[in-house]
Amino acid sequence: MDSDFTRDELDILDLVRQFARDEVLPRAAGIDQDAAYPADLVRQMAALGLMGVPFPEEYGGAGQRYLLFARIVEELCRACASTGLIMDVNISLCGEPIWMFGTEEQKQKYLGPLARGEKLGALAMTEPEAGSDAASIRTSAVRNGDRFILNGRKIFITNGEVADTYIVTAVTDRTAGTNGITDFIVEKEMPGVSFTTHYDKMGIRGAPTTDVVLEAVEVPVENVLGGEGNGFKVTMDTLDAGRIGIAAQAVGIARAALEDSIDYACTREQFGKPIGELQGIQFMLADMATSIHAARLLTLRAASLRDSNTPCARESSMAKLFAGDTAMQVTTDAVQIFGGYGYMQEYPVERHMRDAKITQIYEGTQQIQRVVIARQVYGAK
């Protein structure tokens, strides 16, 4: 499967695998148990050039393909879903829209530090009454001379309080529907930005999730991203890219569960032989491996379309839908293979199952993915 990668790309993947195996994996259980943000691992990822993988070198990135980015996310999330997610969000939900829609000044000021890992990014879109329905946001942005005054509350923001730069979606014209939505680049240090509700989550516990509150935040006009009234388009394009990252995350989690299950099946004995020799267990492992392989192919297909600047809304939704469901099924089966031990925190599969669930929810629920796919398929007729 990696035969389509260049020698340089394979060398980068080998480096990431070594880092994930030696530095990230030994920390995964502790990060989960303590809900601890792995600041030192984030710094190491920055030093390795992983925080800006797909961005041009002129903006501090590594200048690599989105295809490679997806595989890197998979490798990191195979070791620790929290650590991989922090990097993924920085790239696909914050850096990506600045790269695609930002002015040259915005790229120099904001994308460079994000790509080099000097700053951390987040997307602040979801609100108490606006999740899957992004057009129903209530955060307002009122023009006042050369500034916009932002007021509102964003919830469930991954990277939350540890981020430095936020892409914030707000309403600039309530009479214009989706054409009245605008995206802004907001800095953590701007007066009026605060944080509440540090969520205690089921999974991905090392990636902080908080609410971001905006109270009369003055944002310069030059921080409008993609032009006034174009926020809905910017956000939808951002989610197309973001779903590729989540699909890759789901593949990584599922792979971890499968590999742990294979190891366990080779050593756990019942009826005088390893349980891996039992046909019932073999069939489960076969189904798990097949689904993971298919999910990875869907993910890489979407990533390759992104690399070629081809619209990929349908393919990224398909990848996220299938990979998310695969992660949940595979991790559930892994717990079953481990039996009673799988239900205990002593073994990693219960963590994998908890981490997997969110891949069916964020970046659009599985039901929303089906809506997107159906519209694309039906509209193609």
Side-chain angles (χ1 to χ4, degrees):
M1 181 172 300
D2 288 343
S3 60
D4 292 334
F5 289 99
T6 67
R7 183 67 258 170
D8 286 345
E9 289 173 330
L10 291 174
D11 287 343
I12 293 172
L13 269 180
D14 285 342
L15 179 66
V16 172
R17 287 193 191 100
Q18 182 179 353
F19 168 70
R21 182 188 66 241
D22 297 343
E23 303 294 334
V24 181
L25 183 58
R27 299 273 304 282
I31 289 170
D32 173 74
Q33 184 175 23
D34 299 334
Y37 171 65
D40 59 325
L41 294 179
V42 175
R43 288 192 294 270
Q44 290 182 63
M45 288 192 291
L48 291 172
L50 302 183
M51 299 302 283
V53 171
F55 304 134
E57 293 180 7
E58 63 187 289
Y59 300 118
Q64 300 297 328
R65 294 188 292 171
Y66 225 79
L67 201 66
L68 180 63
F69 163 68
R71 287 288 284 111
I72 288 173
V73 172
E74 177 190 330
E75 293 294 340
L76 291 172
C77 289
R78 184 265 172 265
C80 174
S82 294
T83 302
L85 176 64
I86 293 164
M87 169 263 200
D88 175 28
V89 167
N90 182 72
I91 291 175
S92 62
L93 297 187
C94 190
E96 178 80 4
I98 296 174
W99 178 31
M100 295 298 295
F101 297 97
T103 64
E104 182 60 28
E105 291 75 16
Q106 289 171 342
K107 292 175 184 178
Q108 293 292 343
K109 182 176 181 179
Y110 294 107
L111 182 56
L114 292 170
R116 292 188 294 270
E118 298 164 359
K119 301 285 186 180
L120 188 67
L123 173 68
M125 181 191 73
T126 303
E127 297 182 5
E129 302 301 326
S132 297
D133 183 8
S136 295
I137 63 171
R138 293 289 178 265
T139 296
S140 64
V142 178
R143 182 75 178 262
N144 182 15
D146 62 352
R147 296 180 177 274
F148 281 88
I149 311 302
L150 271 61
N151 285 281
R153 177 186 170 208
K154 301 294 185 176
I155 65 172
F156 304 152
I157 307 307
T158 304
N159 287 350
E161 193 170 358
V162 298
D164 304 284
T165 306
Y166 304 85
I167 306 301
V168 175
T169 307
V171 178
T172 47
D173 184 354
R174 295 203 180 277
T175 67
T178 56
N179 291 324
I181 295 174
T182 302
D183 277 3
F184 298 86
I185 303 173
V186 176
E187 300 173 22
K188 180 180 185 176
E189 300 304 321
M190 288 178 173
V193 176
S194 63
F195 307 91
T196 62
T197 318
H198 295 70
Y199 293 97
D200 189 10
K201 298 170 297 183
M202 174 192 295
I204 56 164
R205 289 169 52 78
T209 301
T210 63
D211 291 356
V212 178
V213 179
L214 307 160
E215 297 178 297
V217 179
E218 296 186 9
V219 180
V221 170
E222 54 265 30
N223 279 36
V224 170
L225 181 62
E228 187 173 349
N230 290 326
F232 189 76
K233 177 180 183 297
V234 172
T235 299
M236 291 301 102
D237 184 86
T238 300
L239 292 177
D240 287 345
R243 286 164 183 159
I244 297 171
I246 298 307
Q249 179 191 14
V251 173
I253 295 169
R255 212 183 94 204
L258 172 62
E259 292 172 3
D260 289 343
S261 295
I262 293 171
D263 290 343
Y264 185 77
C266 290
T267 57
R268 171 66 167 169
E269 291 192 0
Q270 291 287 275
F271 309 105
K273 59 184 176 181
I275 63 172
E277 295 185 18
L278 301 173
Q279 192 177 66
I281 300 297
Q282 291 179 352
F283 281 6
M284 291 177 72
L285 295 174
D287 287 344
M288 293 158 76
T290 301
S291 294
I292 291 169
H293 191 78
R296 183 185 290 112
L297 288 175
L298 280 169
T299 302
L300 295 180
R301 170 61 177 163
S304 69
L305 290 175
R306 189 76 182 180
D307 281 327
S308 64
N309 293 320
T310 303
C312 62
R314 180 180 65 178
E315 287 78 9
S316 64
S317 286
M318 285 179 172
K320 195 268 185 189
L321 172 65
F322 190 82
D325 286 350
T326 292
M328 199 66 239
Q329 184 61 56
V330 167
T331 55
T332 300
D333 287 346
V335 170
Q336 191 70 24
I337 288 172
F338 273 72
Y341 291 112
Y343 202 69
M344 306 302 167
Q345 291 186 0
E346 179 183 355
Y347 290 86
V349 288
E350 66 87 28
R351 167 167 52 86
H352 300 329
M353 189 170 75
R354 288 187 288 105
D355 286 341
K357 184 59 193 175
I358 192 61
T359 67
Q360 294 182 308
I361 298 172
Y362 56 17
E363 306 308 309
T365 64
Q366 304 301 71
Q367 290 70 34
I368 288 296
Q369 304 315 311
R370 289 180 170 88
V371 170
V372 173
I373 296 165
R375 286 175 177 172
Q376 293 282 326
V377 171
Y378 187 75
K381 290 182 178 291

